[in-house]
Each structure stands twice: as structure tokens, then as C-alpha cells.
Amino acid sequence: MAPRLQLEKDAWRWAEMVKPEDITHEHIELAYRIAVLACKRGTCRRNCKGNPNCLVGIGEQSWLGEIDENAFHNIDDPNSERRDKNTFVGLTNLGATCYVNTFLQVWFHNLELRRALYRFQNSRAEGHNTDSDYEPRTICEHLQYLFALLQNSNRRYIDPSGLVKALGLDTGQQQDAQEFSKLFLSLLEDTLSKQKDPNLQNVIQQQFCGQFSYVTVCNQCGRESPLPSRFYELELNIQGHKNLTECVTEFLKEEKLEGDNCYYCESCQSKQNATRRIKLQSLPRTLNFQLMRFVFDRQSSHKKKLNTFISFPEVLDMGPFLEGKEEECTYELSAVLIHRGVSAYSGHYIAHVRDAHTNDWYKFNDEEIEKMEGKKLQLGIEEDIAETAKSQTRKPKCSKGYHCSRNAYMLVYKRQTEEIDQTETIFEVPAFLQKLVDQDNKKFEEWCNEMADMRKQSVDKGKAKHEEVKELYELLPTEDGLSYEFVPLEWLKKWLDDSTAIKEIDNSQFLNIALATK
């Protein structure tokens, strides 16, 4: 292709020798370069402004090349939202509800709790049959339905809006995760305790509730004053400690009550020096350790996050810490809840949970779920999250059978049993809940079909347009002796992209020029 200036000279060279009255149609075609050969496909990077027959710049390569059906629509494949076989279901983050999602996944994988919730009944559920409509209203009913969806939904992730709304949570503000856990379990305990089935009445206590006593001993007379208390989790100070054992030991250590902090002894009828310690009396089947990463900073008068590395074992023997030791007290790690971020007031929560059926570990990050390779917990990626340089500390080496984390804020241990009856770990969703799940699955399938039809319509329209453009390209440029029309390049580009969105060609400017030259 000749340079643009050369084409310009060749097009108007005749004007120096031809008088105006002698100008012919051939001269006009020379001026407008009608006879210049079209550029070959792929030879130009952009449309040649000096050649009206160059089509490369108006999409020749894309329109005449290989067909890419994805170019004809902007609709994602609905099957990308479909749950794969033998995978778990995620939960949508509604804004700042990742802390809720982590606990929901941990509780869902507590099979005893899930079974109890499926057996939960109320006046509406008792009088309802599978042929009538049923919609969850109470918090317990919403949790039932949510667990049923997590078990049998066709979706890759589900929306927990119903439960979150029933709880009255602000989706735009991150709440205290530990406080949410305690309040929610307390609410479930209160609700289930009113059930007629005795197996449901005590399920929260059996699963999560342990007992200890604050025991004060008078140094003068030796009188013991126990103050019993219950707990859903043991709150452990991590500052200055390297491992879980040190944290538990400090929690149970003896405290001296002296000076202004003397203890009033009922036997002595006076204030006396004394010692106080916590005695663990019973442990639940699920033992939660709350690592106190968020502490009050006196200098700033705000909470701050401790990035202390803490190591913890896969198998934990609580025997040395338990008074009496009449029960099985060997526990196995079943979940680790992680807080990403350097601030105590923000950040992101995820959960690592062990599947009770296969013992495989999974990472639950709202909608995204990742299965860990092998059957071992892997926290390396979570510990590599970039934080401030000040908070960066070297990760200590972990012994075999131990894990180490500076972001773990709750550790969940399940009591070990000698034998596990697999028939008790597999159970059906109640019929009235399954009906709700089936209805949601039907809506999902209808949506998938609708999106697939829209994609097909867009692709069919795009292919038809593609064929139309290919036919047009066969007509461009014009051949010798055939009539032709001038079409503005910008108009032609828009027409090729979308023939329904462009306006008619406005030739008034050219007509005015023609009238002015007469």
C-alpha cells in the first residue's frame, strides 16, 4: 500500500493539466481514489485513511475470522452457579456478614446439632403437611431451612438473608464475632429447652456447654467457697504465650487475694488473705477455645489485634486440666476460625473445617470453598496475608501433629470416640424442609434455563449478524463498472456493531456543499 501523501499526489495530479470545464467522471473517481485496490486482510494494523477501499479498520479481522460465540453475549454461563457433585455449599456475604458465615459453616458440620435442628418442631410445623405451603419465621426455623439448603441445594452458594434478617443484624456493620457466637448458642439453648423431646432439650448443653467453678480458699481457716459457672467457650489470653497448653494453664492458674484485694471469709467473719483458681469440672462434646486476639490498649483507648503466633495440637488431651477425670477427655481438632487483617474493628473472617464423614479439610470463604490437599489442615496461605511491616514476625517451626497461626481467633475441638457409627452421620432432611429446598432448586433450574435461552438467542442473533456482515464484505469494495455509494466510515462502524442502534445517514452536509459549488 502506497503512503498516504503519495496517494494524495496521484489522486490530484490531473488537476494541474485539466480545465474545470473538461473534468470528467473518471477525474472525480481518481480524486476520490475509487480505483485504488483494497488492502489485503491482515496487512494493515488500522484502516488506511488514504484508501476508501481499506476495510481492515472497521473490524474485518473480527468479522471475517473465526467465530467466538462469547463475543455475541455478556451473559455468564448459569452452570457456573451450579453445585458440583460431592462438594459443599457456600454462603453469600451480605456486606459485613463473613463472621456469621464462618460460624454457620462450623455449626452445620456439627452433625449432632444438625440432626437436632431437623427434629425441632413447633406448633406451625406440627399442623402442617407436605402439600401445604410453609415458610420459616422464627430464628430456629430459618436455621433449619438454611441447614437443609446447605445439605441438598443445587446452588454453589446460597443467600442467608432470611436468618440474618430474623436475627436483626446490620449487614453493613461487622459485629463482635465472639459475642454473636455466645448469644446465638444461648438463644438456641433457650428455644430447644422448651421442646417436648428430652433429647432436644439438652443438645446445646451437651454439645457446647461445660462447667467450671471459681474456688476461693481462705488462708486462715482453709474454708473453700466454690462459685459454679457455665461456659460455651474458654476465653484464653495469648499474650506472652507460645502454645495452647500455656494459655490453658494460665487460665486455670492460682491467683493470690491479698492487701486491698483480700477476701471476706464467712467462717472467719473478716477479710483474710486467700487464693482463687478455676477448677474445670465437666467438658462439652465440642470444646471451643476463644483466643483473645482483640485486647484493650490503654494508650490509645481502643481495641487492638495481637498478631502473636500460637501453636495448637491436632489431638488435645484435657485430662491434666480436668478435676476428677471421670469422662473421656481426648479431643481432635475439627475447625479453626481465622481473622484476616491488622485491625480489631475490621478485617475478614474465614473458617477451616474438617468434614466429619471423610476427615478432609475445607476452607470456607463465604461463596468460595476450597478442599485442602491430602487430609491435613493447611494454614500457610492464611499466614502469608500481607499486613503492616510492624506486625510481621517470623513464623516458628511447628512440631509434627501441631499447627501454628497468628490469625486464628477460635479453635474448635471435638471429643474423640472409639467407634463412629456411619449410619448416625447420614440423615435425611425432613419432608417439609425438603419441599422448600425442592422449590428453591426448581427456581434455580428455571433461572438456568432462562439464562441459557437468552445466551442462545444472543448467539443466534450474533451468528446471523456475522453472516450478514460477511455478505456485505463481499460487496465492498465496488467492482469496475458497477454503481456505488459513499457511506461515512463512522456510520458504517456503528452499523456493523449494532444495526438497530444507529440513525439514518445524514447527507445534508454534502448536499449543501454541492449546491454551493453550482
Side-chain angles (χ1 to χ4, degrees), residues 255-510:
E255 175 188 5
K256 294 184 181 297
L257 303 179
E258 300 174 340
D260 294 338
N261 199 28
C262 276
Y263 164 72
Y264 183 84
C265 177
E266 294 290 343
S267 297
C268 300
Q269 292 293 301
S270 62
K271 286 189 174 183
Q272 298 291 338
N273 290 339
T275 57
R276 177 179 293 165
R277 61 183 292 258
I278 295 176
K279 290 185 178 182
L280 279 178
Q281 295 169 324
S282 67
L283 298 174
R285 295 175 182 172
T286 301
L287 184 56
N288 295 328
F289 291 108
Q290 179 69 49
L291 306 183
M292 298 173 64
R293 291 207 172 270
F294 308 132
V295 297
F296 182 76
D297 182 22
R298 292 183 178 179
Q299 292 183 345
S300 64
S301 298
H302 293 288
K303 282 185 178 181
K304 69 175 183 179
K305 180 184 177 182
L306 299 177
N307 292 298
T308 304
F309 273 107
I310 293 294
S311 68
F312 46 93
E314 293 178 1
V315 177
L316 174 65
D317 181 10
M318 287 295 292
F321 306 107
L322 189 65
E323 296 291 326
K325 194 183 176 182
E326 295 179 357
E327 57 185 272
E328 176 59 46
C329 48
T330 303
Y331 288 79
E332 190 172 10
L333 186 67
S334 65
V336 179
L337 279 64
I338 297 288
H339 174 269
R340 290 178 178 173
V342 296
S343 172
Y345 297 96
S346 62
H348 184 61
Y349 292 88
I350 66 171
H352 293 264
V353 185
R354 182 168 56 86
D355 179 14
H357 296 106
T358 65
N359 286 329
D360 292 320
W361 280 91
Y362 290 82
K363 181 171 74 172
F364 293 87
N365 184 6
D366 292 329
E367 297 92 344
E368 300 300 323
I369 300 174
E370 178 185 352
K371 181 181 178 182
M372 300 289 101
E373 294 183 4
K375 291 185 179 293
K376 292 186 177 181
L377 171 64
Q378 299 175 30
L379 293 175
I381 296 177
E382 307 314 319
E383 301 310 319
D384 292 337
I385 300 299
E387 298 179 353
T388 61
K390 186 178 179 180
S391 67
Q392 294 289 347
T393 54
R394 192 170 184 178
K395 183 178 180 179
K397 293 183 179 181
C398 286
S399 304
K400 185 177 180 181
Y402 282 76
H403 301 280
C404 204
S405 173
R406 66 175 174 193
N407 288 320
Y409 78 97
M410 181 173 278
L411 306 176
V412 181
Y413 283 85
K414 288 281 291 180
R415 183 181 293 166
Q416 278 189 340
T417 55
E418 295 182 0
E419 295 182 2
I420 298 178
D421 187 353
Q422 292 297 329
T423 60
E424 294 187 1
T425 64
I426 302 173
F427 40 89
E428 297 293 330
V429 172
F432 72 96
L433 287 175
Q434 186 58 45
K435 181 184 177 183
L436 294 183
V437 175
D438 292 340
Q439 290 173 349
D440 185 75
N441 285 339
K442 182 180 179 182
K443 290 179 182 178
F444 174 69
E445 297 302 332
E446 290 174 348
W447 175 80
C448 286
N449 292 334
E450 182 181 349
M451 292 297 102
D453 288 342
M454 290 176 63
R455 279 168 59 102
K456 186 177 184 304
Q457 291 175 13
S458 297
V459 170
D460 290 344
K461 182 180 178 182
K463 288 182 177 180
K465 179 73 175 182
H466 194 273
E467 292 300 318
E468 183 180 9
V469 172
K470 286 178 67 175
E471 292 179 5
L472 175 65
Y473 267 100
E474 296 298 326
L475 302 175
L476 298 176
T478 184
E479 296 181 3
D480 292 342
L482 298 178
S483 60
Y484 55 86
E485 301 287 344
F486 285 96
V487 178
L489 181 61
E490 289 302 318
W491 184 94
L492 184 58
K493 286 181 179 180
K494 292 180 180 178
W495 183 88
L496 289 171
D497 289 334
D498 187 359
S499 59
T500 62
I502 51 90
K503 300 178 181 179
E504 296 179 353
I505 298 176
D506 183 7
N507 285 329
S508 58
Q509 180 182 0
F510 303 104

Side-chain angles (χ1 to χ4, degrees), residues 171-191:
T171 58
Q173 184 177 359
Q174 195 172 95
Q175 305 293 330
D176 187 300
Q178 178 189 4
E179 194 66 22
F180 166 76
S181 172
K182 288 195 293 187
L183 289 175
F184 194 86
L185 289 177
S186 178
L187 177 65
L188 281 182
E189 180 180 10
D190 181 63
T191 303

